[in-house]
Amino acid sequence: MEGLMVLAFPLLAFLVTGLLGRQLGDRASGVITVLGGAFSFVFSLYMVYRALHSPVQIKLYEFLPLEGYTLSVGFYFDALSSITAAVVTLVATLIFVYSIGYMEDEFGKWVYKFYAYLSLFLFAMLLIVLSDNLLGIFFGWEGVGLASYLLIGYYHQQRKATNAALEAFVMNRIGDWLFIFGIIATFLVFKSLDIVEIFGKVDTADKALIGIATLLLFGGAVGKSGQLPLHTWLPNAMAGPTPVSALLHAATMVAAGVYMVARLYPVFEAAPQTLKVVAVIGGLTALFAALAATSHTDMKKIIAFSTMSQLGYMFLALGVGDRGGAMFHLTTHAFFKALLFLAAGSVITAFHHKLYDIYNFGGLKKYMPVTYASFVIGAMALAGIFPLSGFWSKDRLIGSYYEASFVWGLVGTVVAFLTAYYIFREGFVVFHGEERFRGIDPHEPREVGAVMTVPMVVLGVMAVVAGFFEGWYMHAVGDEHKDIHLNVALVSLGVAILGIVLAYGVFVKRFLDPEKTYESLKALHTTFREQFFTEKLYHGIFALGYLSYSKVLYAVGERQLIDGLVNGTAAIVQSVGHGLKVLQNGKLNWYALGLGAGFAILVLLFVALIYGGGY
Amino acid sequence: MKTIPVEAYFVVSMVLFGLGVIGLIARRNLVTVLMSLELALNAVNVAFVGADAHMGLVEGQIFALFVIALAAAEAAVGLGIIIAIFRYRYVESTDEITDMRG
């Protein structure tokens, strides 16, 4: 019962804000949304407490009786799902609080819609996290797809935002298509969709079929988590408001793919080939996104690429068999990434949502101390500086990589270096150096209000302390605690500090002039910024290819064939009409002749029938 | 008194009906067309009455009366239309009333 409350409150908040938002007003809608998230968080904490003793399974009602298996709507609270739900609801609630401050400029322009979407999004995400069967997960999956579409395209007056929303939706559709086939395949293999039941049948099932099913399921995760090759939507999704970016790209939607693989991990373990694929895609994405992040200048896009890269880390960890580490990194990452996004959002708010390019800011340190501190803590956690949360989760992962193979470990270390470099590059350019915004926006930037700083402070605290719960978390989710390998930790700490020093040297002390350096490395810079031209490639091949294919079909199929048939029929009828018009000459005698002739013919026919042996 | 064979009635009826139809088709004058129509109707009456006399029934006469009444009504309406057209357009030939041409 308490478990249902976790899901009920966001749903209730969605219904209230969505249906009564006009009457309540925008601020009240925001408060209701926050309350929905907060109550959900409280109940999920209680469920964590319950689940740590023994898993709770709630069967709500029978949904679809099938042959030999009845699909029911149900929820399963084990340690993994309940802790994830708690993290999601906590981060979401803080982001909701923040969004009241962030959207203040727009109050009076139907912002209640925005809050309704946020609540819907949270509800769908909790469905993914808590459902006890694959179809329930799929419903949540589609729910976050819809909510993300609505949220990314919230600024629907901007073509950029609507395009990004469309792109996110279509890209996810590809993944979801694979995912639903994966669900079908899983059902065929196990004759069940219930997660707990499936785990019991893994040993007896056909290994090859499991491989196919898991590969398809992973396809869904690739789409949702923005991994290669379905990654282009993730950075573009930054067109939505910043709280959306924080919600979607820190704690919830993009993490859903990782969570799904972790949730079904026993099934994936039965398919080592799939795990290899997971590892390769994760590792490649981690490296790829980190490289792309080094050359972008959009404040939020850098963080978005960082998210992609960190998700790649998690998938790589799943691929090499460290499920607990991946989920733990997901948890810590949720805190510090949300923090980074909110800090970026504060900067954007201080400049009235007009500026996004990091080179338009500079020297904000003394104007926005809380934001600056938040950003630094988030960046340090992301870079994996001891003793912040990122250090513990990340170095556990890198240790796992080295245990699996040296190559993966090297990838992890390189990405750690790049991560430190790009995030501190952003930090130094925005908060240090000369005040470049003077020429663009003459007003003094001010620190944002308490409604925005408090969530940042809370997240900051979480980002610092979350790492110390590693042992407890592993014990809870039933994975063994791993000691950090000292040499791995030192190496990754070393490269992280190296990355920070490099960023400091280039962007603050200017030992190298960054613009000139970029000029000299122009080819490389462009390659990274264009994400190795994948976006151009997709646009060129798929989008334009499809367009030209449609154009050909339109010219030949639509215009010639279908219109030809329709208009041809009309033309035939018309010409026959023209021919028959001669008969309708309006002369009475002709009509009488026709009448008589017809009658005569009928009489002759009857006579022929009667006397011709018919009767 | 010699009885008239039924075939004679029918022959007369057919001839009259044929003349009526020919009149309908060939004549141009509106009044004449109407008269041809009456001729055709009366030809049928002849057939009815002849058959009736031959069989010793009464239905033929009833039918004939019906047809006469119908013809009278029709002639009234038809003449009314003809007069209206004539007043309005001052034509009497069917060839000149081709408003219903397609």
Side-chain angles (χ1 to χ4, degrees):
Chain A
M1 192 61 231
E2 294 82 5
L4 290 180
M5 289 294 158
V6 177
L7 289 128
F9 275 108
L11 183 63
L12 194 70
F14 161 64
L15 291 173
V16 170
T17 49
L19 295 172
L20 306 173
R22 294 283 296 272
Q23 285 75 29
L24 291 168
D26 291 338
R27 194 178 294 274
S29 302
V31 172
I32 287 169
T33 306
V34 170
L35 285 178
F39 278 117
S40 184
F41 170 61
V42 171
F43 278 105
S44 63
L45 274 186
Y46 174 75
M47 289 315 288
V48 171
Y49 164 76
R50 284 265 304 267
L52 288 179
H53 290 290
S54 62
V56 184
Q57 185 155 19
I58 302 171
K59 287 278 182 206
L60 207 51
Y61 62 92
E62 287 186 357
F63 175 67
L64 189 66
L66 299 166
E67 247 179 274
Y69 172 67
T70 304
L71 189 69
S72 49
V73 176
F75 307 102
Y76 185 64
F77 292 84
D78 57 353
L80 179 73
S81 65
S82 50
I83 292 173
T84 309
V87 170
V88 165
T89 46
L90 172 62
V91 173
T93 307
L94 292 170
I95 291 169
F96 291 169
V97 174
Y98 178 93
S99 68
I100 292 179
Y102 188 87
M103 300 305 276
E104 201 148 22
D105 292 354
E106 312 221 0
F107 276 179
K109 292 192 207 158
W110 301 14
V111 184
Y112 71 88
K113 276 195 314 186
F114 177 74
Y115 292 119
Y117 297 159
L118 284 179
S119 295
L120 175 69
F121 184 89
L122 181 60
F123 170 70
M125 184 65 204
L126 288 171
L127 262 185
I128 295 178
V129 174
L130 298 172
S131 280
D132 70 341
N133 61 65
L134 278 171
L135 202 72
I137 291 179
F138 184 74
F139 281 146
W141 206 258
E142 295 303 306
V144 292
L146 165 70
S148 67
Y149 171 77
L150 294 170
L151 286 167
I152 294 166
Y154 179 73
Y155 292 136
H156 53 83
Q157 302 90 341
Q158 299 176 4
R159 177 156 290 281
K160 194 181 79 171
T162 50
N163 280 351
L166 194 65
E167 182 177 22
F169 198 72
V170 171
M171 280 274 180
N172 271 303
R173 212 54 37 228
I174 300 168
D176 293 350
W177 182 74
L178 292 169
F179 186 49
I180 198 160
F181 273 91
I183 292 173
I184 293 165
T186 314
F187 184 74
L188 289 177
V189 177
F190 296 108
K191 296 284 177 291
S192 163
L193 287 176
D194 195 285
I195 292 170
V196 187
E197 267 182 58
I198 287 174
F199 291 168
K201 293 182 183 171
V202 168
D203 298 333
T204 55
D206 185 350
K207 289 280 179 285
L209 288 175
I210 290 183
I212 293 167
T214 48
L215 207 56
L216 288 165
L217 290 170
F218 177 62
V222 165
K224 202 53 91 190
S225 291
Q227 302 293 294
L228 291 168
L230 299 176
H231 60 284
T232 55
W233 68 269
L234 208 154
N236 291 337
M238 293 299 122
T242 307
V244 173
S245 311
L247 188 63
L248 262 69
H249 303 283
T252 55
M253 176 172 153
V254 294
V258 179
Y259 174 80
M260 193 266 294
V261 176
R263 176 91 164 181
L264 299 171
Y265 205 63
V267 186
F268 277 80
E269 271 178 322
Q273 288 80 7
T274 308
L275 283 184
K276 279 202 180 65
V277 174
V278 173
V280 168
I281 286 186
L284 279 177
T285 310
L287 196 59
F288 167 92
L291 287 173
T294 55
S295 58
H296 269 265
T297 57
D298 183 290
M299 186 139 190
K300 280 156 69 179
K301 265 193 184 176
I302 295 174
I303 312 177
F305 277 115
S306 166
T307 302
M308 232 162 100
S309 164
Q310 297 297 311
L311 289 164
Y313 256 150
M314 296 169 208
F315 276 118
L316 181 50
L318 289 167
V320 299
D322 187 3
R323 163 176 172 254
M327 279 314 289
F328 184 59
H329 191 56
L330 195 156
T331 307
T332 57
H333 172 258
F335 293 126
F336 58 73
K337 191 50 64 72
L339 181 64
L340 282 170
F341 268 121
L342 296 192
S346 296
V347 173
I348 289 164
T349 311
F351 287 92
H352 299 290
H353 310 264
K354 286 195 188 70
L355 305 179
Y356 292 95
D357 196 299
I358 57 174
Y359 284 106
N360 291 340
F361 305 115
L364 295 178
K365 188 169 58 166
K366 62 174 185 276
Y367 299 104
M368 309 177 75
V370 180
T371 305
Y372 175 63
S374 305
F375 194 93
V376 169
I377 288 173
M380 276 163 69
L382 176 62
I385 303 295
F386 181 84
L388 280 78
S389 59
F391 170 80
W392 301 101
S393 56
K394 192 166 181 168
D395 285 304
R396 182 192 155 110
L397 294 191
I398 296 177
S400 303
Y401 302 160
Y402 275 111
E403 280 168 23
S405 85
F406 182 75
V407 177
W408 288 138
L410 206 60
V411 166
T413 307
V414 169
V415 173
F417 167 74
L418 289 169
T419 305
Y421 166 72
Y422 65 67
I423 199 71
F424 274 90
R425 162 178 172 257
E426 177 174 13
F428 288 136
V429 170
V430 172
F431 293 100
H432 289 255
E434 54 174 318
E435 301 178 356
R436 281 178 298 269
F437 59 86
R438 292 277 176 223
I440 305 162
D441 196 356
H443 83 284
E444 286 283 301
R446 279 210 319 272
E447 181 59 89
V448 288
V451 74
M452 290 165 80
T453 52
V454 170
M456 285 200 282
V457 171
V458 176
L459 279 172
V461 171
M462 292 304 293
V464 174
V465 301
F468 302 121
F469 292 101
E470 194 253 3
W472 174 84
Y473 185 87
M474 292 306 153
H475 176 72
V477 300
D479 217 311
E480 76 277 6
H481 166 71
K482 274 191 192 170
D483 286 321
I484 303 277
H485 299 268
L486 190 63
N487 49 0
V488 169
L490 285 176
V491 167
S492 52
L493 200 58
V495 296
I497 290 168
L498 193 68
I500 295 170
V501 168
L502 179 66
Y504 185 78
V506 173
F507 293 99
V508 181
K509 293 289 172 206
R510 293 183 166 268
F511 293 129
L512 280 171
D513 187 34
E515 284 77 19
K516 278 206 181 107
T517 319
Y518 276 141
E519 279 305 310
S520 60
L521 296 171
K522 198 163 179 54
L524 210 57
H525 176 63
T526 316
T527 310
F528 291 163
R529 202 187 55 231
E530 298 286 343
Q531 306 167 46
F532 291 81
F533 304 103
T534 42
E535 212 173 346
K536 287 232 182 336
L537 207 70
Y538 290 169
H539 267 275
I541 292 177
F542 293 109
L544 291 178
Y546 189 76
L547 265 178
S548 48
Y549 170 70
S550 310
K551 282 202 178 92
V552 168
L553 273 190
Y554 173 75
V556 176
E558 179 73 15
R559 302 295 308 190
Q560 306 277 328
L561 262 171
I562 296 173
D563 289 8
L565 266 175
V566 173
N567 295 340
T569 311
I572 287 168
V573 172
Q574 212 174 7
S575 61
V576 169
H578 268 295
L580 292 177
K581 221 163 86 169
V582 180
L583 294 179
Q584 202 181 358
N585 52 11
K587 290 191 171 140
L588 210 55
N589 311 92
W590 284 92
Y591 296 171
L593 174 62
L595 226 157
F599 185 71
I601 287 167
L602 280 178
V603 167
L604 283 176
L605 270 176
F606 275 114
V607 168
L609 271 175
I610 291 164
Y611 291 101
Y615 292 96
Chain B
M1 179 182 155
K2 242 182 129 186
T3 50
I4 302 168
V6 74
E7 290 83 359
Y9 286 108
F10 284 162
V11 167
V12 171
S13 164
M14 275 159 64
V15 168
L16 283 176
F17 187 82
L19 286 171
V21 169
I22 287 169
L24 263 178
I25 292 165
R27 292 300 191 135
R28 294 279 183 272
N29 189 306
L30 274 167
V31 183
T32 319
V33 169
L34 208 60
M35 281 161 59
S36 306
L37 197 60
E38 297 294 323
L39 191 61
L41 286 166
N42 275 308
V44 177
N45 275 350
V46 169
F48 274 132
V49 173
D52 191 277
H54 179 72
M55 295 175 178
L57 297 171
V58 82
E59 285 92 333
Q61 295 177 35
I62 293 169
F63 258 104
L65 280 171
F66 261 108
V67 172
I68 289 167
L70 210 127
E74 190 213 348
V77 173
L79 278 168
I81 292 172
I82 289 165
I83 290 165
I85 290 172
F86 192 79
R87 279 192 184 163
Y88 188 63
R89 308 263 307 262
Y90 207 76
V91 295
E92 53 180 354
S93 166
T94 54
D95 281 358
E96 292 173 56
I97 315 168
T98 55
D99 302 39
M100 294 295 185
R101 192 178 57 233

